[in-house]
Amino acid sequence: MRIVVSGTHASGKSTLLSDFALRHPGFTVLPDPFDLLDETWDAPRATMFASQLRLAADRLDSGENPGDMIAERGPLDFLAYLVALGETTGSPASPALLERSAEITAAALEHVDLLVVLPLTTADPIEVGEEDPELRAAMNDALLELVDDPDLVGTHLRVAELVGSPEERLARLEALVSVHGAPPTPS
């Protein structure tokens, strides 16, 4: 089973992945593409998000990572960041960049079985500190719109929005995996 966990920054992705990985050692865990870049984070830029989108897409190829895997972020995250960056700065990415990014995203998501989206909710807030709260909210909104676009997510991809406490999110993810893929490892 191939899973991508998506959400804006400080939405609980890392917690969910690490909790899941502890209970499912047979899954390969792919870290946030940001952690794999050599760039430093000085300010959000379209080129940085485009680089992360490409990296996130490339690693979803089943030839690159065969077998069960769970990835922190997929190309859809970075397409949402590109849209949100334009909304928050008033300087949108070029139409050509957005179009090419959407094509890459759609092609990559063909290699994914389950897209888990962690939306921001007022019921389960996660404190963000100084990590650009305006961009965080705009990316969340863009991501939630993009997951409804059948041209991006296709017809085979199962999409699940998970809310609640970390324990509730993990339980729901495990239920989705046991129904649609590999059974959970007994604890």
Side-chain angles (χ1 to χ4, degrees):
M1 176 166 228
R2 303 175 67 70
I3 305 166
V4 171
V5 179
S6 291
T8 192
H9 48 286
S11 61
K13 296 177 304 301
S14 296
T15 299
L16 181 60
L17 258 74
S18 64
D19 291 348
F20 184 84
L22 286 172
R23 296 179 64 166
H24 302 271
F27 274 76
T28 299
V29 177
L30 304 178
D32 190 325
F34 180 78
D35 297 337
L36 305 174
L37 291 180
D38 292 333
E39 296 184 39
T40 58
W41 177 271
D42 52 355
R45 296 182 319 279
T47 55
M48 185 175 64
F49 290 135
S51 295
Q52 291 175 82
L53 185 145
R54 173 59 82 177
L55 198 154
D58 288 349
R59 70 189 188 161
L60 293 178
D61 184 325
S62 55
E64 281 287 311
N65 292 294
D68 293 333
M69 50 112 343
I70 185 167
E72 182 170 356
R73 296 194 188 270
L76 195 63
D77 293 73
F78 302 107
L79 181 57
Y81 271 118
L82 285 168
V83 170
L85 186 63
E87 291 174 2
T88 60
T89 65
S91 179
S94 74
L97 175 61
L98 290 173
E99 182 178 331
R100 182 66 184 134
S101 295
E103 291 169 359
I104 292 168
T105 298
L109 290 178
E110 290 178 9
H111 301 283
V112 177
D113 301 306
L114 175 62
L115 175 64
V116 173
V117 180
L118 303 181
L120 298 180
T121 67
T122 55
D124 302 297
I126 296 174
E127 296 303 317
V128 66
E130 297 181 22
E131 291 187 37
D132 202 338
E134 184 182 10
L135 180 62
R136 179 182 186 233
M139 185 283 196
N140 181 72
D141 294 345
L143 179 64
L144 294 177
E145 285 184 31
L146 292 172
V147 298
D148 289 334
D149 184 341
D151 292 333
L152 288 172
V153 298
T155 56
H156 82 285
L157 180 59
R158 179 161 167 87
V159 178
E161 288 185 22
L162 303 187
V163 296
S165 69
E167 296 79 17
E168 292 167 326
R169 290 176 175 191
L170 177 60
R172 180 126 184 259
L173 175 56
E174 288 183 317
L176 289 166
V177 168
S178 71
V179 168
H180 297 284
T185 303
S187 41

